[in-house]
Amino acid sequence: MKSGYLSEFFSGVALKTLSAVEADLVRSHQHEFNGVDGLKKLFGQAVGKQKFDAKFIYLTDHDDEPVISEGFLTWYDAREAHPTRSEHRLYFPTTEVSNCAAEGDLLLIGRRQDGSVLVVVAEAESTVANQVRWLFGFSDLVHPGFSVKAETESDQVKLEFASRLILDEIGVAQEEEAPNFLDIMLDRFGKRFPSTRIFSDFARSTIDDLDPRDDPDAVLLAWMDREEVLFRTLERHIVGDRLVEGFAHDVDGFLAFSLSVQNRRKSRVGSAFENHLEEVFLKLGVRYDRTKVTENKSKPDFIFPSIDEYRNPAFPPERLTMLGVKSTCKDRWRQVLVEADRVEEKHLLTMEPSISTAQTDEMRDKKLSLVLPTALHSSYTPAQRGWLMNLTEFIGLVKGRQ
């Protein structure tokens, strides 16, 4: 197990694509996978009926909140008494998650370091299914059995900002901190959260050897990763103190506090992404305006070269560029399409890996170009990569038009 790597959370994982028969088993009362000797890498040789606490999650691109159930798995050898043969089986109970499973869905069984198990079912051909495969390093699942990776292989997967987003999506709590900076943050900010712009400035100041003029794509990722770790460090301290104080019997107060924590996390990531990107543009001498009003009170994240040129009907529309910025897309990418009528082909910058082919095909049809930091391009198919832009290329396009 290595801190900052996938093995910090999983001692082993197994993935497979559900066949029609297996999907029926998952939904039916039989609830067993037979002939699963490959899972011995996760659970070992069965001795009696071994129960494991399990968390079940069903994920789809269309719902913001996953379906979550708590339960257990039972691992046993149906031929334990046989002198030479064994037949291992994995049993799981009926849950809301099992009721959602269908042919073609991705099934993940992950053995956690605390001995519990995470079971994830992701909708067939969805972005989130692609992301789970990418996170755990499974390029394809063409054979019918489980594909299994042990802890030693997870030791090779270093967690970066994009992979942390996926871990959040599948319900894995992360506690990586930067304790060396906690006293500095408390001295500077006290026990409160500063504005996102101030915090982004602080995060960049803690890495003094990065210049976006050298590699805009890599620097943007590094700044985002650093801010995420610093924020979690400060959040853990502030939220922890509030929880120690307690809420007595104030259930509404506790729920409001919990909701504020979740909302702060979501809104902060998007603002941080824009803040760091703005610093890249400033350093590279790119002219822009941020969140200025266009038609119908829309506020695109960035307009190039400026809102004045955009509002000037004499300024050639082919020299205008509009960029939407979303750390993750899901179906929200369509919001960008109506934010600047004078710009026919729009651009969207995201940190989301492995968006499905169906989604990117629709983006192309809607004349939306996808921009991602170079390091994330490898999570897409070869056909998709030919269409993607990186940040360096996008900056070159904008500066050429200016």
Side-chain angles (χ1 to χ4, degrees), residues 106-231:
L106 180 72
L107 172 68
L108 160 73
I109 300 175
R111 185 77 186 274
R112 302 296 306 274
Q113 290 292 0
D114 63 3
S116 66
V117 181
L118 176 67
V119 180
V120 176
V121 180
E123 185 182 26
E125 299 183 357
S126 62
T127 292
V128 70
N130 291 347
Q131 291 172 342
V132 170
R133 278 195 295 268
W134 175 74
L135 174 65
F136 291 98
F138 291 93
S139 57
D140 61 74
L141 300 171
V142 293
H143 59 83
F146 280 98
S147 297
V148 183
K149 289 193 175 183
E151 182 173 341
T152 52
E153 293 169 281
S154 297
D155 269 342
Q156 311 305 313
V157 182
K158 190 176 188 306
L159 297 176
E160 306 290 353
F161 181 80
S163 47
R164 294 181 196 281
L165 289 177
I166 301 171
L167 285 174
D168 281 339
E169 184 80 2
I170 64 175
V172 176
Q174 303 160 64
E175 299 181 359
E176 183 177 357
E177 297 184 12
N180 293 338
F181 291 99
L182 179 58
D183 288 341
I184 298 173
M185 289 190 288
L186 291 176
D187 182 62
R188 182 172 299 191
F189 309 128
K191 291 187 177 182
R192 61 180 181 80
F193 294 103
S195 71
T196 54
R197 186 177 289 276
I198 289 174
F199 199 77
S200 294
D201 289 344
F202 170 75
R204 290 193 299 270
S205 73
T206 65
I207 316 178
D208 56 10
D209 58 346
L210 294 181
D211 189 332
R213 289 167 290 197
D214 297 330
D215 187 343
D217 294 81
V219 170
L220 180 62
L221 282 174
W223 282 344
M224 285 296 294
D225 197 51
R226 174 56 62 90
E227 177 161 348
E228 183 68 14
V229 174
L230 290 174
F231 177 80

Side-chain angles (χ1 to χ4, degrees), residues 36-168:
V36 290
D37 283 354
L39 295 183
K40 287 181 183 178
K41 290 183 180 180
L42 268 64
F43 301 110
Q45 176 70 38
V47 179
K49 290 192 174 182
Q50 298 173 258
K51 276 192 174 183
F52 298 90
D53 291 333
K55 181 178 183 180
F56 300 84
I57 299 179
Y58 180 77
L59 297 168
T60 172
D61 292 344
H62 311 297
D63 297 321
D64 288 335
E65 298 298 329
V67 178
I68 301 176
S69 302
E70 300 289 340
F72 63 91
L73 296 174
T74 302
W75 174 246
Y76 69 102
D77 183 355
R79 296 180 178 270
E80 186 175 17
H82 197 282
T84 59
R85 296 181 62 188
S86 68
E87 185 179 319
H88 282 76
R89 297 182 181 180
L90 186 66
Y91 169 85
F92 44 92
T94 300
T95 64
E96 288 186 73
V97 172
S98 66
N99 290 335
C100 292
E103 179 184 3
D105 286 353
L106 180 72
L107 172 68
L108 160 73
I109 300 175
R111 185 77 186 274
R112 302 296 306 274
Q113 290 292 0
D114 63 3
S116 66
V117 181
L118 176 67
V119 180
V120 176
V121 180
E123 185 182 26
E125 299 183 357
S126 62
T127 292
V128 70
N130 291 347
Q131 291 172 342
V132 170
R133 278 195 295 268
W134 175 74
L135 174 65
F136 291 98
F138 291 93
S139 57
D140 61 74
L141 300 171
V142 293
H143 59 83
F146 280 98
S147 297
V148 183
K149 289 193 175 183
E151 182 173 341
T152 52
E153 293 169 281
S154 297
D155 269 342
Q156 311 305 313
V157 182
K158 190 176 188 306
L159 297 176
E160 306 290 353
F161 181 80
S163 47
R164 294 181 196 281
L165 289 177
I166 301 171
L167 285 174
D168 281 339

Side-chain angles (χ1 to χ4, degrees), residues 281-293:
F281 292 151
L282 288 170
K283 284 289 197 298
L284 273 73
V286 177
R287 291 181 58 212
Y288 68 91
D289 270 319
R290 180 176 172 181
T291 60
K292 299 297 184 180
V293 177

